[in-house]
Amino acid sequence: MAATGNDAKQIRFAPNGEMWVHFGALPVSALPKSVDEDLKASGFIPLGYASEEGTEITPKIETEELSVWQSSVPVLRYVKSAAFQVKSTLVQVNDATTRLFYGAEWVKTNTKSAAGREQYRLDIASNPDLAEVSLVIDWSDDAAHYRAVIGRAMVGDRGSISLTRTKSQNYELTLDALDAAGTLGYILTDDSSVGSMPKVSLMSGSVEAGHGTALEGSGFDKSSDVNGIAA
């Protein structure tokens, strides 16, 4: 693990990224287990270009205070709700992005337009089904790859589409993770700057005054100089 403190080598950017969707939630056993696992083999579809704002990933925890008669300050905080949210604006118009945005599938009509192209129809229901998806967000720079995996998610919010002469159509989407056996998702990385924090422990349970004991350390760089350990 790299040293903590002021270390520019631990600053990360995300010049490379991709969002992937699988229509229909996958079981945990079918979700990716490495940062470079082939997602297409599992049926994931790349969503393509996003707007220059990129993708926002927001973990949220909402807590409440427990007040009691005997104290003027709260004695406990507890979790009221938790969330893991992904927001992005997609700029490619294709089957996957529009299906995700409208929440319905395209159906071939077996008729052609005047231009000779096949026509498709997407019905926007007055009582729509809330379809589940699995979602993967990849991002990387020259130093490390990261992958966020959400096994169960639903579209929680949509923006409006502006149809203008000078701007592309944008599909603004917010997806919310759902509980999947006690988890909202997980993050994978090959970043060498993360891992177990350095720690030192006694090899024996207790030490008598005036006697010595062996120490066991882990999580340090090979070049680390460990000094000044206090009892």
Side-chain angles (χ1 to χ4, degrees):
M1 177 177 175
T4 57
N6 299 339
D7 189 348
K9 294 180 180 179
Q10 293 183 357
I11 298 174
R12 298 286 178 261
F13 295 87
N16 309 303
E18 185 76 89
M19 285 183 62
W20 303 75
V21 68
H22 184 285
F23 290 99
L26 289 171
V28 174
S29 59
L31 294 174
K33 298 173 178 60
S34 69
V35 294
D36 50 9
E37 183 177 328
D38 182 12
L39 297 178
K40 290 184 179 179
S42 301
F44 280 91
I45 301 169
L47 294 175
Y49 284 124
S51 66
E52 62 182 352
E53 287 79 14
T55 298
E56 297 179 10
I57 299 176
T58 308
K60 295 180 180 180
I61 298 178
E62 184 180 356
T63 63
E64 285 197 352
E65 299 174 343
L66 178 64
S67 298
V68 296
W69 171 37
Q70 293 89 346
S71 176
S72 60
V73 297
V75 296
L76 185 68
R77 296 190 73 92
Y78 59 91
V79 177
K80 180 181 178 181
S81 66
F84 192 66
Q85 193 175 79
V86 175
K87 183 177 180 179
S88 190
T89 300
L90 307 175
V91 299
Q92 288 187 210
V93 182
N94 54 42
D95 186 274
T97 57
T98 52
R99 178 180 172 184
L100 195 61
F101 183 83
Y102 291 111
E105 296 185 37
W106 291 98
V107 178
K108 192 173 181 179
T109 64
N110 295 321
T111 59
K112 292 186 178 181
S113 66
R117 293 190 291 266
E118 296 287 351
Q119 294 192 100
Y120 299 85
R121 172 173 169 155
L122 183 149
D123 289 322
I124 302 174
S126 59
N127 186 23
D129 293 329
L130 297 177
E132 292 185 13
V133 299
S134 291
L135 190 68
V136 172
I137 306 96
D138 287 332
W139 68 99
S140 65
D141 58 14
D142 292 338
H145 294 77
Y146 279 82
R147 171 169 282 178
V149 181
I150 300 175
R152 296 180 63 222
M154 282 184 176
V155 176
D157 194 20
R158 299 170 171 86
S160 59
I161 303 174
S162 296
L163 305 177
T164 71
R165 181 175 58 84
T166 58
K167 293 183 180 180
S168 65
Q169 297 176 39
N170 291 339
Y171 294 86
E172 182 182 325
L173 289 165
T174 301
L175 294 105
D176 296 298
L178 303 174
D179 178 78
T183 66
L184 291 175
Y186 55 90
I187 310 293
L188 299 166
T189 188
D190 60 1
D191 193 334
S192 59
S193 69
V194 304
S196 300
M197 291 293 291
K199 62 181 180 180
V200 176
S201 57
L202 296 174
M203 295 296 290
S204 58
S206 60
V207 182
E208 294 182 8
H211 291 71
T213 185
L215 300 176
E216 181 179 57
S218 63
F220 293 92
D221 283 340
K222 292 181 180 179
S223 58
S224 295
D225 185 12
V226 183
N227 292 305
I229 299 176

